[in-house]
Amino acid sequence: MSILVLADHAAGALQPSTARVVTAARQIGGDVVLLVAGQNCAAVAREASAIDGVARVLLADADALAHQLPEALAALIAELAPDYDAILGSSGLVAKRCLPRVAALLDVMQVSEIIAVVAPDTFRRPTYAGNAIETVQSTDSKRVLTVRTTAFAPAGAGASAPIETISPGPSGDTRSSFVGRSSTGSDRIELGSARRVVSGGRGLGSRESFDKLVYPLADKLQAAVGASRAAVDAGYVPSDCQVGQTGKVVAPELYLALGISGAIQHLAGMQDSKVIVAINKDPDAPIFSIADYGLAQDLFEAVPELIAKIG
Amino acid sequence: MKALVGVKWVLDFSVKVRLKSDGTGADLAGARMSMNPFDEIALEQAIRLKEAGAVDEIVVVSVGPRPAADILRRALAMGADRAVLVRSDAPVEPLGVAKALKSLVERDGAGLVLLGKQAIDDDNNQTGQMLAALLGWPQATYAAELAVEGNVATVTCESDDGLETVRLTLPAVVTADLRLNTPRHISLPNIMKAKNKPLEEIAPEALNVDLRPRLKVLRTDEPAKRRAGVMVASVDELLDKLRGEAKVI
Ligand SMILES: Cc1cc2nc3c(=O)[nH]c(=O)nc-3n(C[C@H](O)[C@H](O)[C@H](O)COP(=O)(O)OP(=O)(O)OC[C@H]3O[C@@H](n4cnc5c(N)ncnc54)[C@H](O)[C@@H]3O)c2cc1C
Ligand SMILES: Nc1ncnc2c1ncn2[C@@H]1O[C@H](COP(=O)(O)O)[C@@H](O)[C@H]1O
C-alpha cells in the first residue's frame, strides 16, 4: 500500500495540519509519500521531510503551480495517482477545492473530512453538522480522502526523509489565473491550530465592543479569535474567523464562547474542544447544554472583570 | 449565456436531524425539507446576473426524489426560467450528481454553472469541483463576490486566512459561500407565475448516467455526547474552576 499526502503550505511555511494528515495516513498503513507542490517551496519540502513516518517527499516546484490553483494541482496529482492506493489532504481550503477534482478525474468518490480510520477502506465522518457520524466503506479501487485535522494528533518531527524533485506535470490552465489575495490579521494566532480560542457572537452588539472585549481577552489568554456566523455577517470580524459547520472546525484545550447562543451550525465547529466555557446572559441559551462551565451573566460586566483578573 | 444552477432538497437547516435507532441513517419521515441554503444563494446570484444582462436563461436542476420538485417550483418562483428534476429515489453522491449535471450541460449548453459550496446534510463539499473536472472547466469555490463581463468571470473566494481573487475564462463552475448575497423573498404573484414555467422530469438513464453510490454507509450513529457541565455564579468562581479543576489557564 502506498499513500500520497498533499502537504499544506502557505507563505513559504509548512502548515501544522500536514503532520496530522500524516497520522491518518499511517493509520491506513503503507508507505507515506508527501507531495509539496507550489512555487519556490524547496524550504517547505525540507520541513516536510522531518515528519516522522514519511518515506519520501516529492517536490514539484513550478510557476504553473503558483498559488496552488486547483486546475493545475489536480492535474498533477491525477498524473501521480497510478502509483498510489490512497490520496489524502487536510480540511484546509486548498485541499478541499482540489481533491474532489482529483477524485472525479480518477472516477472515484471522495470521502470528505474523515475523523477516524476503521480499516484501510472504511472511515468515520460527521454529517448533518456533526449530529450524525457515518461509518462508510469505499468500494472504489483507489481512495481519495480529506482529513478533519482536529481529530488526529500530529506526527512527530525527528525524521529526514529523502526529497525527490519531480517534473511539475502539465502546464497551468490559462483559463484560470490568480489576481490577488488579501489576508487578514496575519499577526494573530492561527485559529485552526490554536490551543485556546475566544469566540464572540451577536451578543457583542457591535464591532467596537468586539474589538474592546474579545481581542484583549484573547491577548491575555494567548488565544486565537473566533466568531459565530452572526458576528461575521454583522461585520464585527472577517469571515475567516467563522467557526462552525460551514466555517472552521476547531478543537482547542479551551474554547470560550461570548454572547453566542449555540445554534447547531456553530456547535458543529467547536463541540470537540476539551474545555468549553460559555458566557451568555440568557440562562436558557443552548450553548450551556454543552459547556463545561457556564456563566449566565451580561458579558459587558463579566468580560472586563475576566480581563482584569487574568494575570 | 445560459446559467445552470444545482439545487439540493435537504433537511431544513433549523431542524436537528433524527436518527433511526437501528443505525440505518437519518429519519426524514415528516421532517421539514427545503432548498439547501447555499443553493438559494447560488440561484440569487444567477438571477442578479440575468438582471444585469450577463445571463439570458436560468435552468435549475435537482437530482432527487419527486418531492424535490417543491424546491424547483420555489426556484422558478424566485426567478429561474425552467427546471429539471433528475429523478432518483435513492440517496445520491456528489460524483453521480456531477455526472448528471455534466450530461445536462452537454444536452442544453451552459456558459456558467452555479452551485452551493456544500450541501448541509452530507457536508461533502465536492460536487462543484467534480463537475468542473468532468467538464474540463476552470472552477472557483467559496465565492464571496462574482462579476461577469463578456466571457470572463472575476471571483473573490474565501480562503483560510482572508480572500483570494481569481479570473476565469468561461465556461466555468462557481460555488457560492454564505456572503455572496442575501437571497430575495418570493412574492405571491411570482409563485402564481411560476406555475406556468416548465418543469421537466427525467430519468438518469435518459442522461446515460449511473447514480449508484460508490460508498457503502455501514452505519450511522449519534456522536459521543458531552457530559453536562456546571453553572458558575461569578467570574471569580469561573477562574477558580479554570485554574484548579480544568487547569487550562
Ligand atoms: C447554511 C447555514 C450555515 C451556517 N453556518 C454557520 C457556521 O458555520 N457557524 C455559525 O456560528 N453559525 C452558522 N450558521 C448560523 C447559525 O444558524 C446561527 O444563526 C448563528 O450561529 C447565531 O450566531 P450567534 O449565536 O452569535 O447569534 P444569536 O443566535 O443571535 O445569539 C446571540 C446570543 O447572545 C446573547 N447575548 C445578547 N446580549 C448579551 C449580553 N449583553 N451578554 C451576554 N450574552 C448576550 C443572547 O442571549 C444570545 O444567546 C449557519 C446557518 C445556515 C443557515
Ligand atoms: N442532489 C443534488 N441535486 C442538485 N444539486 C446538487 C445535489 N447535490 C449537490 N448539489 C449541488 O452541489 C453543491 C455541493 O454539494 P455537496 O458536494 O454535496 O456538498 C450543492 O450546494 C448543490 O448546489
Side-chain angles (χ1 to χ4, degrees):
Chain A
M1 183 98 88
S2 213
I3 301 178
L4 185 68
V5 169
L6 174 64
D8 269 342
H9 61 94
L14 185 73
Q15 303 285 101
S17 48
T18 305
R20 295 175 182 267
V21 181
V22 167
T23 298
R26 287 168 73 184
Q27 289 180 12
I28 296 170
D31 272 354
V32 178
V33 178
L34 266 182
L35 171 64
V36 174
Q39 188 186 37
N40 297 328
C41 48
V44 176
R46 279 193 296 278
E47 266 187 276
S49 69
I51 300 177
D52 289 341
V54 171
R56 262 177 318 142
V57 175
L58 305 181
L59 171 61
D61 206 320
D63 294 350
L65 295 168
H67 314 295
Q68 304 173 71
L69 292 185
E71 294 82 0
L73 192 52
L76 169 67
I77 297 173
E79 211 175 63
L80 298 171
D83 293 340
Y84 300 91
D85 305 288
I87 297 165
L88 273 66
S90 76
S91 38
L93 292 190
V94 169
K96 276 165 102 162
R97 70 190 184 190
C98 169
L99 289 192
R101 211 174 157 105
V102 172
L105 293 173
L106 302 174
D107 194 29
V108 163
M109 177 55 204
Q110 171 177 296
V111 185
S112 292
E113 302 251 342
I114 64 162
I115 56 169
V117 175
V118 178
D121 63 352
T122 307
F123 312 94
R124 268 199 275 279
R125 63 176 302 265
T127 58
Y128 287 100
N131 289 300
I133 307 294
E134 279 186 352
T135 305
V136 295
Q137 183 177 31
S138 161
T139 62
D140 288 314
S141 58
K142 223 180 258 301
R143 259 85 55 203
V144 177
L145 313 169
T146 61
V147 174
R148 178 164 289 189
T149 41
T150 51
F152 295 87
S160 60
I163 299 172
E164 188 186 316
T165 303
I166 59 168
S167 84
S171 59
D173 193 324
T174 53
R175 292 169 303 164
S176 166
S177 59
F178 180 83
V179 177
R181 166 179 293 133
S182 66
S183 89
T184 52
S186 49
D187 53 332
R188 298 213 64 88
I189 299 172
E190 201 253 318
L191 186 53
S193 54
R195 287 177 52 234
R196 294 173 183 160
V197 173
V198 179
S199 281
R202 201 196 315 262
L204 268 302
S206 70
R207 185 180 183 145
E208 291 68 41
S209 310
F210 204 103
D211 287 348
K212 218 174 71 206
L213 297 174
V214 181
Y215 288 102
L217 181 56
D219 287 342
K220 274 261 166 121
L221 289 169
Q222 293 169 298
V225 170
S228 70
R229 175 189 173 184
V232 174
D233 285 354
Y236 305 168
V237 279
S239 46
D240 52 294
C241 291
Q242 181 175 315
V243 170
Q245 179 187 17
T246 57
K248 288 198 172 118
V249 175
V250 300
E253 283 167 28
L254 174 64
Y255 188 90
L256 243 125
L258 310 174
I260 291 177
S261 60
I264 54 172
Q265 291 85 5
H266 187 77
L267 304 188
M270 43 68 78
Q271 61 198 357
D272 292 328
S273 304
K274 206 147 149 243
V275 174
I276 296 174
V277 174
I279 301 180
N280 192 307
K281 70 176 179 191
D282 172 10
D284 297 323
I287 188 84
F288 287 130
S289 69
I290 66 141
D292 298 280
Y293 303 107
L295 177 60
Q297 199 184 331
D298 192 316
L299 69 88
F300 291 98
E301 292 164 14
V303 177
E305 189 182 341
L306 257 178
I307 295 170
K309 287 181 174 168
I310 293 171
Chain B
M1 176 174 74
K2 198 177 291 185
L4 190 140
V5 180
V7 297
K8 189 176 186 188
W9 186 66
V10 297
L11 182 66
D12 188 85
F13 81 95
S14 64
V15 179
K16 189 171 170 183
V17 67
R18 241 182 3 249
L19 299 184
K20 293 185 209 153
S21 54
D22 61 358
T24 57
D27 179 6
L28 299 178
R32 180 150 114 225
M33 305 292 285
S34 39
M35 191 189 303
N36 184 45
F38 290 99
D39 306 352
E40 225 173 292
I41 297 171
L43 175 58
E44 172 66 32
Q45 198 63 29
I47 298 169
R48 290 184 189 188
L49 288 171
K50 190 179 170 194
E51 287 165 349
V55 159
D56 48 43
E57 189 190 12
I58 301 168
V59 183
V60 277
V61 181
S62 192
V63 183
R66 184 154 289 161
D70 289 352
I71 61 164
L72 289 173
R73 287 212 183 76
R74 204 185 139 73
L76 293 171
M78 239 176 105
D81 297 296
R82 59 189 182 85
V84 182
L85 174 65
V86 180
R87 178 81 185 271
S88 168
D89 294 328
V92 288
E93 290 173 345
L95 185 60
V97 172
K99 287 178 180 176
L101 295 175
K102 173 184 189 243
S103 178
L104 281 169
V105 165
E106 285 167 351
R107 190 193 76 172
D108 294 0
L112 180 64
V113 177
L114 279 159
L115 302 180
K117 83 159 173 181
Q118 113 193 32
I120 60 164
D121 49 2
D122 294 331
D123 286 332
N124 270 318
N125 194 333
Q126 300 178 12
T127 309
Q129 299 89 311
M130 288 183 155
L131 175 61
L134 295 178
L135 288 164
W137 289 3
Q139 69 179 56
T141 43
Y142 325 119
E145 277 173 52
L146 166 65
V148 175
E149 238 173 275
N151 72 335
V152 174
T154 306
V155 197
T156 298
C157 304
E158 305 270 356
S159 76
D160 283 327
D161 66 345
L163 295 167
E164 216 175 276
T165 302
V166 289
R167 193 175 296 128
L168 308 179
T169 305
L170 301 178
V173 178
V174 176
T175 75
D177 212 321
L178 287 172
R179 279 160 285 270
L180 183 57
N181 61 51
T182 306
R184 68 195 60 199
H185 291 292
I186 298 173
S187 71
L188 203 57
N190 283 343
I191 294 177
M192 301 312 291
K193 266 205 297 212
K195 293 201 165 127
N196 300 320
K197 292 185 179 176
L199 194 164
E200 168 193 7
E201 184 181 309
I202 183 170
E205 296 75 41
L207 293 171
N208 271 322
V209 291
D210 179 1
L211 293 178
R212 271 175 305 178
R214 303 289 189 83
L215 303 179
K216 244 194 257 168
V217 181
L218 302 181
R219 47 176 307 113
T220 306
D221 298 291
E222 301 270 354
K225 281 265 176 314
R226 279 190 84 92
R227 193 175 43 84
V230 295
M231 296 299 288
V232 295
S234 66
V235 166
D236 285 330
E237 193 189 339
L238 176 62
L239 284 170
D240 260 12
K241 296 277 193 197
L242 294 180
R243 288 186 176 123
E245 195 174 88
K247 299 193 172 36
V248 285
I249 61 170

mmCIF file of all heavy atoms in Angstrom, chain B residues 5-9 36 38-39 42 61-64 92-94 97 101 114-129 175, ligand 2:
data_model
loop_
_atom_site.group_PDB
_atom_site.id
_atom_site.type_symbol
_atom_site.label_atom_id
_atom_site.label_comp_id
_atom_site.label_asym_id
_atom_site.label_seq_id
_atom_site.Cartn_x
_atom_site.Cartn_y
_atom_site.Cartn_z
ATOM 1 N N VAL B 5 -28.090 26.077 -12.489
ATOM 2 C CA VAL B 5 -27.941 26.139 -11.032
ATOM 3 C C VAL B 5 -28.403 24.811 -10.441
ATOM 4 O O VAL B 5 -29.507 24.341 -10.741
ATOM 5 C CB VAL B 5 -28.785 27.299 -10.442
ATOM 6 C CG1 VAL B 5 -28.615 27.363 -8.926
ATOM 7 C CG2 VAL B 5 -28.409 28.636 -11.077
ATOM 8 N N GLY B 6 -27.584 24.201 -9.616
ATOM 9 C CA GLY B 6 -27.938 22.939 -8.965
ATOM 10 C C GLY B 6 -28.521 23.200 -7.593
ATOM 11 O O GLY B 6 -27.925 23.936 -6.799
ATOM 12 N N VAL B 7 -29.687 22.622 -7.331
ATOM 13 C CA VAL B 7 -30.306 22.816 -6.016
ATOM 14 C C VAL B 7 -30.630 21.466 -5.388
ATOM 15 O O VAL B 7 -31.227 20.597 -6.019
ATOM 16 C CB VAL B 7 -31.568 23.714 -6.098
ATOM 17 C CG1 VAL B 7 -31.208 25.117 -6.568
ATOM 18 C CG2 VAL B 7 -32.634 23.139 -7.018
ATOM 19 N N LYS B 8 -30.246 21.302 -4.136
ATOM 20 C CA LYS B 8 -30.495 20.023 -3.461
ATOM 21 C C LYS B 8 -31.603 20.168 -2.433
ATOM 22 O O LYS B 8 -31.685 21.167 -1.728
ATOM 23 C CB LYS B 8 -29.212 19.512 -2.789
ATOM 24 C CG LYS B 8 -29.372 18.083 -2.258
ATOM 25 C CD LYS B 8 -28.095 17.507 -1.672
ATOM 26 C CE LYS B 8 -28.323 16.030 -1.302
ATOM 27 N NZ LYS B 8 -27.195 15.460 -0.564
ATOM 28 N N TRP B 9 -32.423 19.128 -2.372
ATOM 29 C CA TRP B 9 -33.545 19.061 -1.428
ATOM 30 C C TRP B 9 -33.007 18.438 -0.145
ATOM 31 O O TRP B 9 -32.596 17.267 -0.148
ATOM 32 C CB TRP B 9 -34.609 18.179 -2.080
ATOM 33 C CG TRP B 9 -35.919 18.057 -1.405
ATOM 34 C CD1 TRP B 9 -36.843 19.037 -1.219
ATOM 35 C CD2 TRP B 9 -36.494 16.850 -0.883
ATOM 36 N NE1 TRP B 9 -37.946 18.514 -0.608
ATOM 37 C CE2 TRP B 9 -37.770 17.181 -0.393
ATOM 38 C CE3 TRP B 9 -36.064 15.525 -0.787
ATOM 39 C CZ2 TRP B 9 -38.620 16.237 0.201
ATOM 40 C CZ3 TRP B 9 -36.904 14.588 -0.209
ATOM 41 C CH2 TRP B 9 -38.163 14.952 0.275
ATOM 42 N N ASN B 36 -31.316 23.598 -0.124
ATOM 43 C CA ASN B 36 -30.040 23.795 0.555
ATOM 44 C C ASN B 36 -29.717 25.296 0.565
ATOM 45 O O ASN B 36 -29.740 25.932 -0.494
ATOM 46 C CB ASN B 36 -28.974 23.002 -0.209
ATOM 47 C CG ASN B 36 -27.620 23.058 0.467
ATOM 48 O OD1 ASN B 36 -27.519 22.900 1.674
ATOM 49 N ND2 ASN B 36 -26.592 23.306 -0.328
ATOM 50 N N PHE B 38 -27.147 27.197 0.634
ATOM 51 C CA PHE B 38 -26.118 27.709 -0.280
ATOM 52 C C PHE B 38 -26.621 27.758 -1.727
ATOM 53 O O PHE B 38 -26.156 28.563 -2.529
ATOM 54 C CB PHE B 38 -24.859 26.845 -0.210
ATOM 55 C CG PHE B 38 -24.115 26.997 1.081
ATOM 56 C CD1 PHE B 38 -24.258 26.080 2.098
ATOM 57 C CD2 PHE B 38 -23.278 28.078 1.283
ATOM 58 C CE1 PHE B 38 -23.584 26.223 3.298
ATOM 59 C CE2 PHE B 38 -22.591 28.237 2.475
ATOM 60 C CZ PHE B 38 -22.750 27.305 3.492
ATOM 61 N N ASP B 39 -27.578 26.879 -2.039
ATOM 62 C CA ASP B 39 -28.094 26.818 -3.405
ATOM 63 C C ASP B 39 -29.023 28.001 -3.672
ATOM 64 O O ASP B 39 -29.121 28.494 -4.796
ATOM 65 C CB ASP B 39 -28.817 25.494 -3.639
ATOM 66 C CG ASP B 39 -27.927 24.312 -3.284
ATOM 67 O OD1 ASP B 39 -26.730 24.534 -3.017
ATOM 68 O OD2 ASP B 39 -28.422 23.182 -3.243
ATOM 69 N N ALA B 42 -26.693 30.628 -4.587
ATOM 70 C CA ALA B 42 -26.223 30.432 -5.972
ATOM 71 C C ALA B 42 -27.295 30.899 -6.958
ATOM 72 O O ALA B 42 -27.004 31.597 -7.940
ATOM 73 C CB ALA B 42 -25.888 28.956 -6.203
ATOM 74 N N VAL B 61 -31.620 22.693 -11.626
ATOM 75 C CA VAL B 61 -31.635 21.235 -11.693
ATOM 76 C C VAL B 61 -31.540 20.655 -10.298
ATOM 77 O O VAL B 61 -30.724 21.114 -9.490
ATOM 78 C CB VAL B 61 -30.407 20.717 -12.493
ATOM 79 C CG1 VAL B 61 -30.442 19.200 -12.583
ATOM 80 C CG2 VAL B 61 -30.343 21.355 -13.871
ATOM 81 N N SER B 62 -32.358 19.668 -10.011
ATOM 82 C CA SER B 62 -32.195 18.930 -8.772
ATOM 83 C C SER B 62 -32.155 17.446 -9.098
ATOM 84 O O SER B 62 -32.884 16.976 -9.960
ATOM 85 C CB SER B 62 -33.347 19.230 -7.803
ATOM 86 O OG SER B 62 -33.007 18.721 -6.522
ATOM 87 N N VAL B 63 -31.278 16.730 -8.420
ATOM 88 C CA VAL B 63 -31.241 15.281 -8.548
ATOM 89 C C VAL B 63 -31.824 14.749 -7.258
ATOM 90 O O VAL B 63 -31.252 14.956 -6.182
ATOM 91 C CB VAL B 63 -29.798 14.768 -8.739
ATOM 92 C CG1 VAL B 63 -29.801 13.252 -8.954
ATOM 93 C CG2 VAL B 63 -29.116 15.489 -9.891
ATOM 94 N N GLY B 64 -32.976 14.107 -7.331
ATOM 95 C CA GLY B 64 -33.603 13.652 -6.097
ATOM 96 C C GLY B 64 -34.950 13.034 -6.354
ATOM 97 O O GLY B 64 -35.347 12.827 -7.506
ATOM 98 N N VAL B 92 -28.176 10.137 -3.346
ATOM 99 C CA VAL B 92 -27.156 10.268 -4.389
ATOM 100 C C VAL B 92 -25.877 10.847 -3.799
ATOM 101 O O VAL B 92 -25.891 11.458 -2.734
ATOM 102 C CB VAL B 92 -27.657 11.168 -5.541
ATOM 103 C CG1 VAL B 92 -28.707 10.439 -6.347
ATOM 104 C CG2 VAL B 92 -28.178 12.499 -5.017
ATOM 105 N N GLU B 93 -24.775 10.634 -4.515
ATOM 106 C CA GLU B 93 -23.468 11.134 -4.084
ATOM 107 C C GLU B 93 -22.977 12.203 -5.062
ATOM 108 O O GLU B 93 -23.375 12.204 -6.236
ATOM 109 C CB GLU B 93 -22.454 9.987 -4.082
ATOM 110 C CG GLU B 93 -22.692 8.970 -2.989
ATOM 111 C CD GLU B 93 -21.766 7.762 -3.135
ATOM 112 O OE1 GLU B 93 -21.164 7.596 -4.226
ATOM 113 O OE2 GLU B 93 -21.663 7.001 -2.172
ATOM 114 N N PRO B 94 -22.070 13.085 -4.593
ATOM 115 C CA PRO B 94 -21.552 14.145 -5.464
ATOM 116 C C PRO B 94 -21.059 13.656 -6.832
ATOM 117 O O PRO B 94 -21.327 14.315 -7.842
ATOM 118 C CB PRO B 94 -20.408 14.733 -4.641
ATOM 119 C CG PRO B 94 -20.894 14.586 -3.236
ATOM 120 C CD PRO B 94 -21.613 13.256 -3.205
ATOM 121 N N VAL B 97 -24.081 13.054 -8.969
ATOM 122 C CA VAL B 97 -24.750 14.324 -9.267
ATOM 123 C C VAL B 97 -23.937 15.101 -10.305
ATOM 124 O O VAL B 97 -24.486 15.648 -11.265
ATOM 125 C CB VAL B 97 -24.938 15.165 -7.977
ATOM 126 C CG1 VAL B 97 -25.459 16.555 -8.312
ATOM 127 C CG2 VAL B 97 -25.881 14.458 -7.009
ATOM 128 N N LEU B 101 -25.225 16.448 -13.879
ATOM 129 C CA LEU B 101 -25.157 17.858 -14.265
ATOM 130 C C LEU B 101 -24.343 18.027 -15.548
ATOM 131 O O LEU B 101 -24.698 18.811 -16.434
ATOM 132 C CB LEU B 101 -24.551 18.698 -13.129
ATOM 133 C CG LEU B 101 -25.381 18.779 -11.832
ATOM 134 C CD1 LEU B 101 -24.617 19.547 -10.753
ATOM 135 C CD2 LEU B 101 -26.740 19.427 -12.076
ATOM 136 N N LEU B 114 -23.614 27.427 -11.511
ATOM 137 C CA LEU B 114 -23.525 27.932 -10.147
ATOM 138 C C LEU B 114 -24.071 26.887 -9.192
ATOM 139 O O LEU B 114 -25.213 26.436 -9.344
ATOM 140 C CB LEU B 114 -24.343 29.221 -10.022
ATOM 141 C CG LEU B 114 -23.671 30.500 -10.521
ATOM 142 C CD1 LEU B 114 -24.714 31.571 -10.817
ATOM 143 C CD2 LEU B 114 -22.691 31.011 -9.477
ATOM 144 N N LEU B 115 -23.263 26.505 -8.208
ATOM 145 C CA LEU B 115 -23.703 25.547 -7.201
ATOM 146 C C LEU B 115 -23.442 26.142 -5.835
ATOM 147 O O LEU B 115 -22.748 27.155 -5.697
ATOM 148 C CB LEU B 115 -22.936 24.223 -7.334
ATOM 149 C CG LEU B 115 -23.002 23.478 -8.660
ATOM 150 C CD1 LEU B 115 -22.180 22.200 -8.568
ATOM 151 C CD2 LEU B 115 -24.433 23.143 -9.045
ATOM 152 N N GLY B 116 -23.977 25.481 -4.799
ATOM 153 C CA GLY B 116 -23.619 25.850 -3.438
ATOM 154 C C GLY B 116 -22.262 25.274 -3.106
ATOM 155 O O GLY B 116 -21.793 24.359 -3.771
ATOM 156 N N LYS B 117 -21.613 25.789 -2.051
ATOM 157 C CA LYS B 117 -20.309 25.213 -1.707
ATOM 158 C C LYS B 117 -20.461 23.862 -1.037
ATOM 159 O O LYS B 117 -19.596 23.014 -1.123
ATOM 160 C CB LYS B 117 -19.493 26.167 -0.831
ATOM 161 C CG LYS B 117 -19.813 26.137 0.648
ATOM 162 C CD LYS B 117 -18.636 26.697 1.460
ATOM 163 C CE LYS B 117 -19.023 26.837 2.923
ATOM 164 N NZ LYS B 117 -17.961 27.383 3.738
ATOM 165 N N GLN B 118 -21.599 23.661 -0.350
ATOM 166 C CA GLN B 118 -21.767 22.373 0.311
ATOM 167 C C GLN B 118 -23.235 22.134 0.609
ATOM 168 O O GLN B 118 -23.984 23.085 0.843
ATOM 169 C CB GLN B 118 -20.877 22.316 1.553
ATOM 170 C CG GLN B 118 -21.509 22.280 2.904
ATOM 171 C CD GLN B 118 -20.472 22.547 4.016
ATOM 172 O OE1 GLN B 118 -19.502 23.270 3.851
ATOM 173 N NE2 GLN B 118 -20.690 21.965 5.169
ATOM 174 N N ALA B 119 -23.617 20.865 0.560
ATOM 175 C CA ALA B 119 -24.976 20.503 0.955
ATOM 176 C C ALA B 119 -24.940 20.244 2.452
ATOM 177 O O ALA B 119 -24.058 19.534 2.937
ATOM 178 C CB ALA B 119 -25.422 19.257 0.193
ATOM 179 N N ILE B 120 -25.896 20.846 3.186
ATOM 180 C CA ILE B 120 -25.787 20.811 4.650
ATOM 181 C C ILE B 120 -26.265 19.500 5.268
ATOM 182 O O ILE B 120 -26.279 19.352 6.478
ATOM 183 C CB ILE B 120 -26.525 21.993 5.314
ATOM 184 C CG1 ILE B 120 -28.015 21.976 4.953
ATOM 185 C CG2 ILE B 120 -25.886 23.314 4.913
ATOM 186 C CD1 ILE B 120 -28.857 22.849 5.867
ATOM 187 N N ASP B 121 -26.656 18.529 4.439
ATOM 188 C CA ASP B 121 -26.983 17.221 5.018
ATOM 189 C C ASP B 121 -25.734 16.326 5.063
ATOM 190 O O ASP B 121 -25.291 15.918 6.123
ATOM 191 C CB ASP B 121 -28.157 16.541 4.278
ATOM 192 C CG ASP B 121 -28.006 16.530 2.755
ATOM 193 O OD1 ASP B 121 -26.978 17.011 2.240
ATOM 194 O OD2 ASP B 121 -28.923 16.023 2.078
ATOM 195 N N ASP B 122 -25.142 16.080 3.899
ATOM 196 C CA ASP B 122 -23.963 15.201 3.870
ATOM 197 C C ASP B 122 -22.653 15.944 4.088
ATOM 198 O O ASP B 122 -21.599 15.323 4.258
ATOM 199 C CB ASP B 122 -23.906 14.439 2.548
ATOM 200 C CG ASP B 122 -25.063 13.455 2.416
ATOM 201 O OD1 ASP B 122 -25.532 12.978 3.470
ATOM 202 O OD2 ASP B 122 -25.502 13.182 1.295
ATOM 203 N N ASP B 123 -22.686 17.282 4.043
ATOM 204 C CA ASP B 123 -21.487 18.092 4.267
ATOM 205 C C ASP B 123 -20.293 17.621 3.430
ATOM 206 O O ASP B 123 -19.174 17.524 3.934
ATOM 207 C CB ASP B 123 -21.099 18.104 5.768
ATOM 208 C CG ASP B 123 -22.043 18.974 6.596
ATOM 209 O OD1 ASP B 123 -22.610 19.933 6.050
ATOM 210 O OD2 ASP B 123 -22.201 18.690 7.800
ATOM 211 N N ASN B 124 -20.535 17.334 2.147
ATOM 212 C CA ASN B 124 -19.464 16.768 1.324
ATOM 213 C C ASN B 124 -18.521 17.800 0.732
ATOM 214 O O ASN B 124 -17.322 17.599 0.681
ATOM 215 C CB ASN B 124 -20.052 15.927 0.198
ATOM 216 C CG ASN B 124 -20.234 14.489 0.604
ATOM 217 O OD1 ASN B 124 -19.361 13.922 1.244
ATOM 218 N ND2 ASN B 124 -21.364 13.911 0.274
ATOM 219 N N ASN B 125 -19.105 18.880 0.212
ATOM 220 C CA ASN B 125 -18.264 19.928 -0.367
ATOM 221 C C ASN B 125 -17.434 19.397 -1.541
ATOM 222 O O ASN B 125 -16.203 19.490 -1.546
ATOM 223 C CB ASN B 125 -17.366 20.477 0.756
ATOM 224 C CG ASN B 125 -16.686 21.769 0.393
ATOM 225 O OD1 ASN B 125 -16.443 22.031 -0.792
ATOM 226 N ND2 ASN B 125 -16.380 22.573 1.370
ATOM 227 N N GLN B 126 -18.089 18.775 -2.505
ATOM 228 C CA GLN B 126 -17.367 18.141 -3.608
ATOM 229 C C GLN B 126 -17.939 18.411 -4.998
ATOM 230 O O GLN B 126 -17.197 18.430 -5.982
ATOM 231 C CB GLN B 126 -17.405 16.594 -3.445
ATOM 232 C CG GLN B 126 -16.796 16.060 -2.181
ATOM 233 C CD GLN B 126 -16.923 14.544 -2.104
ATOM 234 O OE1 GLN B 126 -17.267 13.879 -3.081
ATOM 235 N NE2 GLN B 126 -16.659 13.989 -0.949
ATOM 236 N N THR B 127 -19.256 18.579 -5.092
ATOM 237 C CA THR B 127 -19.917 18.464 -6.395
ATOM 238 C C THR B 127 -19.389 19.463 -7.437
ATOM 239 O O THR B 127 -19.147 19.089 -8.584
ATOM 240 C CB THR B 127 -21.443 18.610 -6.234
ATOM 241 O OG1 THR B 127 -21.869 17.711 -5.204
ATOM 242 C CG2 THR B 127 -22.181 18.284 -7.521
ATOM 243 N N GLY B 128 -19.214 20.729 -7.035
ATOM 244 C CA GLY B 128 -18.757 21.744 -7.987
ATOM 245 C C GLY B 128 -17.384 21.412 -8.552
ATOM 246 O O GLY B 128 -17.148 21.493 -9.769
ATOM 247 N N GLN B 129 -16.481 21.027 -7.659
ATOM 248 C CA GLN B 129 -15.133 20.697 -8.100
ATOM 249 C C GLN B 129 -15.158 19.496 -9.042
ATOM 250 O O GLN B 129 -14.438 19.452 -10.054
ATOM 251 C CB GLN B 129 -14.238 20.368 -6.875
ATOM 252 C CG GLN B 129 -14.074 21.494 -5.861
ATOM 253 C CD GLN B 129 -15.148 21.474 -4.777
ATOM 254 O OE1 GLN B 129 -16.330 21.371 -5.064
ATOM 255 N NE2 GLN B 129 -14.727 21.607 -3.527
ATOM 256 N N THR B 175 -18.858 27.959 -7.057
ATOM 257 C CA THR B 175 -19.690 27.566 -5.914
ATOM 258 C C THR B 175 -19.807 28.720 -4.925
ATOM 259 O O THR B 175 -18.846 29.439 -4.672
ATOM 260 C CB THR B 175 -19.170 26.291 -5.195
ATOM 261 O OG1 THR B 175 -18.006 26.610 -4.415
ATOM 262 C CG2 THR B 175 -18.846 25.174 -6.166
HETATM 263 N N1 LIG C 2 -28.821 16.084 -5.492
HETATM 264 C C1 LIG C 2 -28.426 17.281 -5.947
HETATM 265 N N2 LIG C 2 -29.158 17.946 -6.884
HETATM 266 C C2 LIG C 2 -28.770 19.154 -7.349
HETATM 267 N N3 LIG C 2 -27.668 19.786 -6.944
HETATM 268 C C3 LIG C 2 -26.898 19.174 -6.019
HETATM 269 C C4 LIG C 2 -27.227 17.909 -5.476
HETATM 270 N N4 LIG C 2 -26.269 17.565 -4.600
HETATM 271 C C5 LIG C 2 -25.385 18.578 -4.565
HETATM 272 N N5 LIG C 2 -25.758 19.557 -5.421
HETATM 273 C C6 LIG C 2 -25.073 20.850 -5.661
HETATM 274 O O1 LIG C 2 -23.722 20.750 -5.252
HETATM 275 C C7 LIG C 2 -23.457 21.606 -4.149
HETATM 276 C C8 LIG C 2 -22.441 20.986 -3.231
HETATM 277 O O2 LIG C 2 -22.958 19.796 -2.680
HETATM 278 P P1 LIG C 2 -22.047 18.701 -1.943
HETATM 279 O O3 LIG C 2 -20.880 18.459 -2.803
HETATM 280 O O4 LIG C 2 -22.943 17.504 -1.824
HETATM 281 O O5 LIG C 2 -21.706 19.271 -0.594
HETATM 282 C C9 LIG C 2 -24.818 21.891 -3.545
HETATM 283 O O6 LIG C 2 -24.813 23.100 -2.829
HETATM 284 C C10 LIG C 2 -25.704 21.921 -4.793
HETATM 285 O O7 LIG C 2 -25.598 23.163 -5.465
#
